[in-house]
Amino acid sequence: GSSSTSARLDVELVKSLITRVTELVGVGQPDIRYASSLAAFSMSRAILTKIVHLNTKLQIATRQSANAKGERLTSLKAQVTSLKRVISELEEVVTGPVFSVVFMHRYRDSNEHIRSLCLESLAQSMILNPSIFLQDAYLKYFGWLLHDSSAIVRIAAIDGLNLPFEIVENSQQAEEAKVDLTLMQNVTSKFLKRIADCTIDVSPSVQPHAMNLLLSFLKEGFLDDFDEEALLDQIN
């Protein structure tokens, strides 16, 4: 009872804080926009980390309730219900105020550092909560910003697409990463030409990042079924 009440209070406090911060992300001064966006994304990351922790507790409570009886079963069922509700509300804070308000308005910001920050935050969110963010609906932003006028934003877009591959490669076992790379296939095929063009980008700083991403595609077999000769020659 008391733990679920405190969890509910936490959710309300988090919502209130994020609402305050999001009021500042549209102001005229770029440094304040950057700082408030950074604050919102940092809170979002903390929430996503909390969700991971709560999901673990939920799995344990669900497993225990399968074998419980009487008062113990009633208590565990209440705990499961409470955890599900808090997780759902916290996820809504991230997909609502943080993504719909901060990301959606700032990924097109006039300041390149703010655009880059948006992509870096989205990439981290994908890894922390793949079930929500490792989806085409979010991956498309990396693809779109491969065309950005700023080299640092193009690098952030390429590195964001490469992060799931790096996480899987650096995990001791693939299941440890909880990242399903097959979810990257649509965005890969859709933006492959643009990624290949980045290997001969006007900015030399972009080129090695594009090469690394293409190497990730190669290692995971993403280029196996690709039969566009001219593009494969360029990649080679």
Side-chain angles (χ1 to χ4, degrees):
S2 63
S3 66
S4 70
T5 307
S6 72
R8 307 241 347 105
L9 289 171
D10 287 349
V11 172
E12 292 310 313
L13 179 63
V14 164
K15 278 185 187 170
S16 169
L17 277 171
I18 285 189
T19 304
R20 293 280 174 85
V21 170
T22 54
E23 285 166 4
L24 295 171
V25 298
V27 299
Q29 301 95 313
D31 53 345
I32 295 177
R33 285 206 309 278
Y34 183 93
S36 51
S37 299
L38 180 60
F41 291 141
S42 297
M43 282 192 270
S44 167
R45 203 155 51 245
I47 294 167
L48 290 172
T49 304
K50 177 76 171 172
I51 289 170
V52 172
H53 171 66
L54 291 174
N55 269 321
T56 305
K57 285 177 79 169
L58 176 61
Q59 285 166 2
I60 293 166
T62 305
R63 205 163 50 238
Q64 288 174 341
S65 66
N67 304 311
K69 291 184 176 69
E71 281 183 23
R72 172 97 174 121
L73 178 59
T74 307
S75 166
L76 283 165
K77 278 187 170 175
Q79 194 183 343
V80 166
T81 304
S82 172
L83 282 166
K84 282 182 176 172
R85 188 171 65 240
V86 172
I87 289 166
S88 170
E89 288 183 3
L90 287 173
E91 286 178 348
E92 280 171 22
V93 173
V94 176
T95 55
V98 178
F99 190 81
S100 302
V101 178
V102 183
F103 182 93
M104 288 300 287
H105 290 94
R106 298 278 69 87
Y107 85 93
R108 294 174 292 190
D109 197 279
S110 57
N111 183 285
E112 60 184 6
H113 298 288
I114 295 173
R115 299 199 300 278
S116 173
L117 174 69
C118 287
L119 289 178
E120 287 161 13
S121 173
L122 181 56
Q124 289 163 350
S125 300
M126 267 186 343
I127 301 308
L128 276 171
N129 202 323
S131 63
I132 296 178
F133 290 103
L134 196 64
Q135 311 287 345
D136 290 339
Y138 295 102
L139 288 166
K140 68 186 180 189
Y141 294 102
F142 297 105
W144 291 349
L145 288 171
L146 291 167
H147 296 273
D148 197 273
S149 58
S150 162
I152 67 161
V153 179
R154 294 198 297 280
I155 288 171
I158 294 165
D159 288 353
L161 288 172
N162 203 19
L163 188 59
F165 294 96
E166 288 178 342
I167 291 293
V168 169
E169 188 177 349
N170 295 331
S171 295
Q172 298 308 306
Q173 293 105 6
E175 62 267 21
E176 181 194 313
K178 297 191 177 80
V179 171
D180 179 4
L181 290 178
T182 60
L183 296 169
M184 299 292 297
Q185 281 173 327
N186 286 345
V187 74
T188 300
S189 54
K190 186 171 182 181
F191 294 103
L192 185 58
K193 180 163 183 357
R194 176 64 198 138
I195 294 161
D197 285 343
C198 286
T199 61
I200 49 171
D201 194 273
V202 290
S203 171
S205 62
V206 175
Q207 296 172 8
H209 294 266
M211 293 297 293
N212 283 338
L213 179 55
L214 287 167
L215 281 170
S216 294
F217 291 168
L218 200 60
K219 282 181 201 160
E220 290 298 327
F222 275 43
L223 302 177
D224 292 358
D225 301 327
F226 200 74
D227 51 11
E228 204 174 308
E229 287 282 325
L231 192 53
L232 284 172
D233 285 347
Q234 182 184 325
I235 290 169
N236 286 332

